[in-house]
Amino acid sequence: MSEKKTENKISDEFEKATNYELTDHDIERARLLIGIDLACRDKEQITKITEDNIRTYAQGCGSDNPLFVDEDYAEGTRWGGVFAPPIMSGFVNKPMLGDPIPKEIKDQTKSVFRGIHAFISGGEWKFYKPMYPGDTIYSFSGETDLEVTPSEFAGRKVTRLNRSVKMNQRGEVVAEYTYRLILTERKKAREKGKNLSIEPASYNDDDLVRIDELYANDNPRGGDKLFFEDVAVGGALTDSVRGPLTVTDVVNFHAAGYGWVPYGLRTGRMWHKNRQRIAPFYVKNEMGVPDVAQRLHWDSSWAQAIGNPRAYDYGVMREHYLYHYLAEWAGDDGWVVSMYDEIRKFNYMGDVQFVKGEITGKRVENGQCLVDISVSMINQRDEETVRCTATVALPSKEHGIVMLPEAAPETKRRAVEMLARHRELMAAKKA
């Protein structure tokens, strides 16, 4: 097929896929969902933690930290064996039964924001407990807020804030994640075309030597215990790097467990069935084959059709990279308590992210020795693509080992209630 015909096919499919607008009606309907917590019925690729999927997850994030990938090593740490870092709970879920959304609200919010381009621009994680092999993970979630603001890229944007509470089979809260979901009109984003002029990255041998040196010098601290008393405000973390981004990185992240729900990447008969279920999610490619709109993360021609110069990562990928950067700095005896990040720029295929961290504060609260850290990811164009603030707990020569933080009492109570209701409904279903 000629280049001109390919362009025309993509353009035609783009027009069909972008006849969806952000309307005031949809915005007001979406506000009805704020404050409603619902049991998550999604069945992720992973529902139960195993040593194998912990290792696959860590490696999909580019981490060979022995705490997560080496059973023999992990047995000698305070944890007694390998565990899944709580941020992995974003990839893990077993369907949980719960009371449905009130019918009147369900009817009023049906197909809200249908066909609108959506992406995650960061969020806030709070981490409470490790997940061990054998643990099953459930969750409940709900909208907490909705904001409408101007967008330089797409006219205006809607930001939906959603909190997800992750818990194990004992009703213990493992983590909380409040993410920002950005919704924009694909057509307006393309018309702006602001990003199309961004040149692709290019590397010579000297560039690759610099990147390799950063990787070689950034290793997990492991059992080399870092004490609270040994760090100072203004001190720097080890410089690191992630990338250059390739399609292989995206494939590995999917293999780690991400991106399979709620829409789904499907093959063969399952592809056919999924198209019947969510037809607007499928847009024909240059060969006339219906493929997922999600492919903008690996298909540059489709990414260009919606206003970007080439395919780009999931912002979530950089969140997980940041977690491992912090965890590896803290060592086996430290604990990442929380992190808040803002995804400020796209990370396009070929882009590299240079990672820098600085200690901005330290304090003792209720016997916990906490270190506040600022982290940035800066690409080869010297643009800050991610800004992150985090809190890490470190062991102390005076105060002793790190004690794991606890979720708020109301969150813990709600988790126990939701799991109890799930079991009640399961028993009724089996009766």
Side-chain angles (χ1 to χ4, degrees), residues 56 71 154 251 263 294 301:
T56 301
E71 295 92 336
V251 171
Y263 303 114
Q294 191 173 342
S301 61

Side-chain angles (χ1 to χ4, degrees), residues 396-416:
S396 166
K397 297 171 184 176
E398 178 183 352
H399 299 280
I401 67 171
V402 169
M403 303 300 292
L404 295 180
E406 294 279 349
E410 174 60 24
T411 302
K412 293 195 291 185
R413 181 191 64 79
R414 188 72 174 128
V416 171

Side-chain angles (χ1 to χ4, degrees), residues 62-112:
S63 174
D64 58 358
N65 189 338
L67 199 58
F68 307 133
V69 304
D70 186 333
E71 295 92 336
D72 293 334
Y73 174 90
E75 284 178 1
T77 69
R78 66 166 286 187
W79 310 103
V82 295
F83 66 89
I87 195 169
M88 184 184 164
S89 64
F91 292 14
V92 186
N93 198 74
K94 183 171 182 177
M96 184 165 70
L97 299 181
D99 295 318
I101 187 172
K103 185 177 185 306
E104 63 275 15
I105 294 180
K106 180 179 180 181
D107 290 344
Q108 291 181 73
T109 56
K110 184 178 180 181
S111 299
V112 67

Side-chain angles (χ1 to χ4, degrees), residues 33 35-39 99 140-144 163 165 414 418:
L33 297 169
I36 299 175
D37 280 333
L38 294 173
D99 295 318
F140 64 91
S141 64
E143 306 284 335
T144 61
R163 182 187 73 145
V165 177
R414 188 72 174 128
M418 295 289 280

Side-chain angles (χ1 to χ4, degrees), residues 14 34 46 135 144 174 179 198 206 262 286 293 357 380-381 395 414:
F14 174 84
I34 294 174
I46 303 170
D135 280 351
T144 61
V174 168
Y179 63 85
I198 296 174
D206 289 340
E286 64 271 24
Q380 76 282 357
R381 292 182 291 275
R414 188 72 174 128

